[in-house]
């Protein structure tokens, strides 16, 4: 039997295909995308901070932008100020001064605020409370919740229930106390030297989050919109002074840096999980006995799936040479020419046919691979029988 050597068509690569790489790596990619998406969402939702409580320019849940817009829609002029000097410059008269945070003020500035001849609305217990609202002090903490007014104050009775608490208050003689907690009011209103002073133990009822609940909006409008103009004092935004030129790292928001750290940790964990194990290979007993024929068939199916005819042909040729070389009386180090000559002489086959079968190019198709296997089987049988 003769085997015509087909011209070499180049070996077929057994490297992983794009589909195989996708199937193997899509799980890791999905986990990475989930982590990145979670970090980005956290940065977007979290913003650069937790918001500025009761700031008329802040749209966070704790801000006061909704109330400011509502007041303006009803014709009240809202002026946002961040210092005592600005509050004094806004003038006095037919206006209300709203204080939501005075923690940044000194004792002298708190005294100046208390002396401005305008109606005063203070939400939350503030430092230097006695200087700002004489006669009103915090009694004890009270849980913020929906409460009934239970008083004769017109602004409260028209609003009805509201979200009050934070701290109960002690009021001066003649004051009206509303929304009681354990017998003490959480909102106090009284007149001092011709001006109306109102103090609330907590200001959450005015926030963007709570404004639409119960009668919160009505109460906030009745108190803050009682005059045609409202001067709203908030803490100034603190801007750190630069000690030099800022680099690129200084301009990156803190949330983005945290997201990068999280992603780096995930990549490290995935690398440890998917990385090659270190140390020597440990021999383990197989749970089942696998027949040699099944192993051969399995490898053959892998070669066929990858169209690795070059590797299959090389395996057939190497196995054939290893089996027949001892029968020919040749040393294992004998060269290709000596092996081809010995096989041709023993079997009577043409020397160039034997050489093409053992050392020729890989088969061009599966039919050629089958023919090569049959030819080698015939040569081995002839060597055994000779």
């Amino acid at each position: 039997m003769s085997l015509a050597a087909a011209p070499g068509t180049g070996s077929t690569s057994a490297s992983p295909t794009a589909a195989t790489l996708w199937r193997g790596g899509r799980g890791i990619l999905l986990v990475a995308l989930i982590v990145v998406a979670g970090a980005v969402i956290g940065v977007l939702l979290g913003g650069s901070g937790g918001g500025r409580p009761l700031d008329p320019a802040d749209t966070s849940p704790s801000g006061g932008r909704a109330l400011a817009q509502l007041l303006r829609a009803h014709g009240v002029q809202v002026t946002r100020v961040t210092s005592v000097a600005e509050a004094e410059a806004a003038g006095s008269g037919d206006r209300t001064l709203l204080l939501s945070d005075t923690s940044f003020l000194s004792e002298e500035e708190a005294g100046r605020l208390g002396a401005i001849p305008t109606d005063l609305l203070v939400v939350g217990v503030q430092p230097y409370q006695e200087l700002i609202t004489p006669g009103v002090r915090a009694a004890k903490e009270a849980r913020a919740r929906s409460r009934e007014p239970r008083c004769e104050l017109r602004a409260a009775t028209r609003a009805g229930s509201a979200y009050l608490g934070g701290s109960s208050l002690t009021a001066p003689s003649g004051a009206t106390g509303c929304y009681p907690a354990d017998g003490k009011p959480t909102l106090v209103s009284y007149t001092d030297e011709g001006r109306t002073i109102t103090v609330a133990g907590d200001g959450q009822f005015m926030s963007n989050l709570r404004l639409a609940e119960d009668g919160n909006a009505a109460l906030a409008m009745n108190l803050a919109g009682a005059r045609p103009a409202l001067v709203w004092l908030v803490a100034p935004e603190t801007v750190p002074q630069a000690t030099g030129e800022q680099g690129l790292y200084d301009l990156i928001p803190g949330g983005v840096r945290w997201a990068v750290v999280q992603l780096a940790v995930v990549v490290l964990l995935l690398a440890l999980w998917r990385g090659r194990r270190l140390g020597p290979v440990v021999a383990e007993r197989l749970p089942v006995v696998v027949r040699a024929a099944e192993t051969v068939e399995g490898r053959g199916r892998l070669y066929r799936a990858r169209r690795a005819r070059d590797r299959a042909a090389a395996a057939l040729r190497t196995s054939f040479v290893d089996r027949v070389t001892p029968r020919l009386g040749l040393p294992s180090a004998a060269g290709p020419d000596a092996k081809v000559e010995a096989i041709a002489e023993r079997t009577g086959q043409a020397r160039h046919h034997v050489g093409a079968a053992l050392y020729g190019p890989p088969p061009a198709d599966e039919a050629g691979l089958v023919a090569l296997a049959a030819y080698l089987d015939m040569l081995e049988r002839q060597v055994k029988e000779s």
Side-chain angles (χ1 to χ4, degrees):
M1 176 180 179
S2 63
L3 177 68
T9 58
S11 61
T12 303
S13 174
S15 300
T17 62
T20 303
L21 292 176
W22 164 248
R23 285 193 298 269
R26 60 188 175 185
I28 299 175
L29 181 61
L30 178 61
V31 173
L33 289 177
I34 291 175
V35 172
V36 172
V40 171
I41 292 174
V43 171
L44 293 179
L45 294 181
S48 59
R52 293 169 56 80
L54 293 185
D55 187 329
D58 189 89
T59 57
S60 70
S62 62
R65 177 69 179 274
L67 176 59
Q69 294 288 68
L70 195 60
L71 289 168
R72 292 188 179 106
H74 284 75
V76 179
Q77 179 186 354
V78 180
T79 303
R80 179 180 182 274
V81 297
T82 58
S83 68
V84 176
E86 291 178 338
E88 292 173 332
S92 58
D94 201 13
R95 65 185 64 243
T96 301
L97 176 60
L98 171 58
L99 308 179
S100 58
D101 182 10
T102 61
S103 60
F104 63 97
L105 300 180
S106 65
E107 183 176 0
E108 183 268 335
E109 289 175 322
R112 287 164 54 190
L113 271 182
I116 297 177
T118 60
D119 287 357
L120 192 59
L121 173 59
V122 181
V123 290
V125 177
Q126 305 293 337
Y128 311 116
Q129 185 84 36
E130 281 289 337
L131 296 177
I132 301 173
T133 57
V136 178
R137 295 190 305 274
K140 61 179 181 178
E141 292 186 3
R143 182 173 65 89
R145 63 176 179 83
S146 179
R147 301 179 185 274
E148 297 296 330
R150 298 178 182 174
C151 66
E152 300 299 326
L153 183 65
R154 182 177 177 81
T157 57
R158 294 179 64 184
S161 61
Y163 194 85
L164 265 295
S167 176
S168 59
L169 306 169
T170 59
S173 177
T176 302
C178 303
Y179 302 99
D182 296 330
K184 291 186 176 295
T186 58
L187 186 143
V188 170
S189 182
Y190 65 100
T191 302
D192 179 60
E193 297 181 358
R195 59 180 184 153
T196 300
I197 298 178
T198 304
V199 182
D202 184 75
Q204 293 187 62
F205 73 98
M206 303 174 64
S207 67
N208 298 330
L209 178 64
R210 300 287 183 182
L211 193 64
E213 299 176 0
D214 293 337
N216 294 344
L219 180 62
M221 288 288 296
N222 294 340
L223 296 177
R227 300 292 182 181
L230 175 69
V231 179
W232 197 325
L233 176 66
V234 296
E237 298 182 15
T238 56
V239 180
Q241 297 181 352
T243 56
E245 293 186 359
Q246 290 183 314
L248 179 61
Y249 182 80
D250 299 323
L251 300 177
I252 299 176
V256 175
R257 301 172 193 168
W258 177 237
V260 172
V261 171
Q262 288 179 310
L263 184 58
V265 171
V266 170
V267 171
L268 177 61
L269 293 177
L270 287 174
L272 295 176
W273 171 44
R274 301 292 292 181
R276 295 183 181 274
R277 62 183 180 183
L278 303 178
V281 177
V282 178
E284 298 180 0
R285 179 176 298 179
L286 293 176
V288 294
V289 177
V290 181
R291 294 187 296 111
E294 293 182 5
T295 305
V296 174
E297 291 175 3
R299 178 170 293 187
R301 292 192 188 98
L302 290 176
Y303 285 156
R304 184 175 184 179
R306 296 292 183 182
R307 295 183 174 84
R309 289 183 291 273
D310 54 343
R311 292 175 179 256
L316 290 172
R317 288 163 170 167
T318 301
S319 299
F320 169 80
V321 171
D322 291 342
R323 290 193 300 270
V324 303
T325 297
R327 293 181 177 273
L328 297 174
L330 296 175
S332 58
D337 292 338
K339 295 176 182 178
V340 170
E341 186 67 32
I343 293 173
E345 182 179 353
R346 181 72 68 88
T347 62
Q349 296 291 324
R351 187 179 184 282
H352 67 279
H353 287 164
V354 176
L358 296 183
Y359 302 107
D365 51 27
E366 290 194 6
L369 183 62
V370 172
L372 173 62
Y375 186 68
L376 293 177
D377 184 61
M378 182 268 294
L379 289 178
E380 184 174 2
R381 189 169 57 254
Q382 290 182 353
V383 169
K384 291 179 180 179
E385 295 174 353
S386 61

